[in-house]
Amino acid sequence: MKILVVSLLRLGDIIQQKPLLRALHGKYPQAEIHLLINKQFTTAVDLVSDQVIKVHHFDRDLLQRSMGESSYNLFSPLMFLDQLIDELQSENFDFVLNWTHNKLSAFLMGTLNVPQKQGLHIQEAKLLGLDSAWLKYFNDNFSENFRSFFHYIELLGNAFELPYQKYSIRTDIGQARQIYLQCLTSDSKKNWSLKNFADLKKSIEQQYPEFPVKVLASQGEIEKLSSVFGEADIVVCGLASAKP
C-alpha cells in the first residue's frame, strides 16, 4: 500500500504534523508513506525521515514567479504543474490524505487518479471532503479570527482518525533551563521587528534572571540578527540540532 500525505503549508505546520505521521505509520505499518511539501521547506525532511519513505516537492515560489514575471513562457505554470502531477501519478498511490485544507491543495488532489482520497478535494467541479464533523469545524473556524476549543493537530487527528500521542512536558531538565527566541520566518511580512524581540529578551531576563535567553539562527540569518543581538546571544543550528 502506498500513501501520499499532502502538506503544503509552512514549516511550523509540518513540524506539528509529525505526531500525525507517526500515527499514520502505526495505523498502516506495512504502508509506504510519501509526503508532499513546499520545496522551500526541504530542511524539515530530517525531522520526518523515520515515518516517510519519500518526500516530493511542490515548487510554489517557482510557480508564482512563472505566473508573474515576463521572462517565463505563458504556459510555464501549466508545464510545472504537469510535471509534478506526472511525478505523483507515476507512484500509483492507493490512498492520499490532504492535511493542507485550502483550494490549491484541493485542486491538486482533484488531478490525481487515486482510489481513495481523504480531506478537501475537487471532483467534477464539486468541492468534496467535508463529510467529517471535525473538518467542517476546521473549515468554519480556522479561516476566521476565531479562538478554537481544539488544537490544530487535535482537529486533524480526529478528522483523519489518527490517534496520535501528545507531546509530554519535560520535567528532567533541572536548572539548565534556557529560553530560545525564533525571531525570523520564511515570510518577511510575518516577522515581528528585531527591536521588539530585543526588548522582549531584555524584559524576560530582568524578570527571570535564572533563565538565559538566546536567539536561534540559521547560517543565512546571522548577519541580520547581529545588527541587534550580540554574538554570545545567537545560537546557530539547524532543525535537527534544535530538536529537544
Side-chain angles (χ1 to χ4, degrees), residues 34-172:
H34 293 226
L35 180 66
L36 175 65
I37 62 175
N38 287 313
K39 187 176 181 179
Q40 69 192 108
F41 302 128
T42 53
T43 51
V45 172
D46 290 341
L47 298 180
V48 299
S49 58
D50 51 341
Q51 280 91 39
V52 174
I53 296 293
K54 186 176 180 179
V55 174
H56 304 268
H57 299 122
F58 177 74
D59 199 337
R60 183 170 184 151
D61 288 343
L62 177 61
L63 183 65
Q64 289 177 327
R65 291 200 308 272
S66 67
M67 289 189 292
E69 297 180 8
S70 59
S71 58
Y72 288 91
N73 184 286
L74 179 64
F75 297 102
S76 292
L78 290 175
M79 293 170 57
F80 295 144
L81 285 174
D82 281 343
Q83 290 172 3
L84 174 62
I85 293 166
D86 288 344
E87 174 192 335
L88 296 176
Q89 201 63 57
S90 68
E91 297 286 354
N92 296 313
F93 292 111
D94 302 290
F95 187 20
V96 57
L97 301 90
N98 184 5
W99 291 354
T100 308
H101 203 79
N102 60 23
K103 288 183 179 179
L104 175 62
S105 63
F107 278 110
L108 183 60
M109 289 271 289
T111 65
L112 300 177
N113 183 19
V114 177
Q116 186 178 357
K117 298 179 181 181
Q118 192 174 6
L120 210 61
H121 60 281
I122 300 291
Q123 184 174 318
E124 297 179 353
K126 294 181 180 179
L127 188 63
L128 305 177
L130 287 174
D131 46 334
S132 162
W134 289 98
L135 278 181
K136 287 180 182 177
Y137 178 91
F138 185 94
N139 188 69
D140 291 342
N141 296 307
F142 269 67
S143 60
E144 304 292 337
N145 186 18
F146 178 82
R147 185 168 184 175
S148 172
F149 293 103
F150 306 97
H151 188 273
Y152 164 66
I153 295 303
E154 185 179 8
L155 282 172
L156 288 182
N158 287 316
F160 290 89
E161 300 178 341
L162 296 172
Y164 67 96
Q165 183 177 2
K166 297 181 180 179
Y167 287 116
S168 58
I169 298 175
R170 293 185 60 184
T171 59
D172 60 339

